[in-house]
Amino acid sequence: MAARQILVVEDERPIRDMIAFGLRRAGFEVREAADARAARAALADRRPELLVVDWMLPDTSGLEFTRALKRERDTRDLPVIMLTARAEEADKVAGLEGGADDYLTKPFSLRELVARINAVLRRAEGGAEGESLTADGLEIDRAAHRVSARGRAIALGPTEYRLLEFFMTHPDRVYSREQLLDRVWGGNVYVEERTIDVHIRRLRKALEEHGCDHFVQTVRGTGYRFSTRVEGG
Ligand code: CA
């Protein structure tokens, strides 16, 4: 399989270099643009699989650039991950409403960026976004990226969200840590298996106050399973 190409649009050279280095190491082909105009030229030259766009660019802002891409027929389907130095919720909402498929606040780890890229690419390829998932009162609104239990919102980190989304699309089956790494984090990412246990714990803790933590079941010696049925294991 040919390496998937990512276009990184960021004017700050050290950050762009770091991102390009990390993505190449993760097996992607990377092209770089320092501003929206250069990004346009790169897009005209060859269509990437996904764009990583910094909010703060010297010419057009990353948000405006993304909005413009999403308005145009040729580029509407191109997934965009937006980067920003600002952690405010309002910015996040503006970024996502502007058409970004995901959003990362600086500083972020390369591992996180690669995981997000893989998740966005999977969504783009799978086309499952938009449907909602439910299991015994627990609900994921995949279009809005919101999780709730009997109407009450549950705050989840992005990794816990992806884990839960994977579990709810694959219920009642046992997955080893290795399989979860491959399916949820993406095969290119190096994550230690015990990291999964940390995220499982966080997910359970978030579900606990809504009485849903028992859905995430440990299967001794094997891995984890999502089930609304109470089983031994
Ligand atoms: Ca910048």
Side-chain angles (χ1 to χ4, degrees):
M1 197 175 87
R4 294 191 285 186
Q5 197 192 85
I6 312 287
L7 177 60
V8 178
V9 190
E10 161 68 284
D11 57 312
E12 286 160 90
R13 184 71 193 270
I15 297 174
R16 200 173 72 230
D17 284 350
M18 177 200 74
I19 294 171
F21 171 79
L23 297 188
R24 286 189 180 111
R25 200 178 49 177
F28 293 105
E29 189 185 328
V30 180
R31 281 192 305 160
E32 302 174 39
D35 53 35
R37 189 189 311 198
R40 284 280 183 193
L43 284 175
D45 184 43
R46 190 179 152 197
R47 188 184 163 93
E49 267 8 83
L50 178 145
L51 286 92
V52 175
V53 178
D54 188 46
W55 185 302
M56 300 296 286
L57 294 173
D59 50 356
T60 312
S61 81
L63 184 61
E64 282 307 316
F65 176 59
T66 301
R67 278 197 182 121
L69 291 181
K70 297 291 177 178
R71 273 197 303 265
E72 292 160 31
R73 189 150 46 122
D74 289 350
T75 51
R76 189 179 292 161
D77 300 333
L78 271 177
V80 174
I81 294 181
M82 183 154 290
L83 307 177
T84 180
R86 305 188 294 188
E88 281 94 29
E89 190 63 23
D91 286 352
K92 178 171 180 170
V93 170
L96 294 175
E97 282 179 350
D101 297 85
D102 206 348
Y103 183 98
L104 266 178
T105 304
K106 293 175 180 172
F108 52 84
S109 72
L110 286 170
R111 184 182 291 182
E112 183 67 25
L113 177 62
V114 169
R116 299 285 191 100
I117 287 174
N118 282 325
V120 168
L121 287 176
R122 270 199 303 277
R123 285 211 306 269
E125 286 153 12
E129 208 180 10
E131 54 184 79
S132 66
L133 303 164
T134 55
D136 200 11
L138 188 62
E139 180 170 3
I140 297 186
D141 178 341
R142 295 168 97 182
H145 255 241
R146 276 196 203 101
V147 182
S148 58
R150 286 165 200 89
R152 287 174 61 213
I154 304 179
L156 289 184
T159 304
E160 288 73 40
Y161 176 90
R162 287 199 309 275
L163 250 181
L164 184 62
E165 186 181 44
F166 176 77
F167 277 141
M168 287 177 72
T169 48
H170 303 80
D172 301 311
R173 284 166 61 184
V174 182
Y175 290 92
S176 68
R177 289 171 180 78
E178 196 185 345
Q179 285 171 321
L180 287 174
L181 268 183
D182 192 46
R183 306 289 295 273
V184 179
W185 275 258
N188 288 328
V189 193
Y190 179 71
V191 182
E192 285 179 58
E193 293 196 355
R194 68 168 177 265
T195 305
I196 293 177
D197 300 336
V198 173
H199 288 288
I200 292 275
R201 265 203 302 279
R202 282 194 205 150
L203 175 59
R204 277 196 184 127
K205 196 166 188 322
L207 297 177
E208 193 176 5
E209 49 189 295
H210 302 271
C212 301
D213 52 309
H214 61 282
F215 294 170
V216 181
Q217 301 167 358
T218 302
V219 181
R220 250 171 247 298
T222 312
Y224 295 102
R225 167 180 59 214
F226 179 91
S227 180
T228 54
R229 296 195 288 264
V230 181
E231 292 177 64

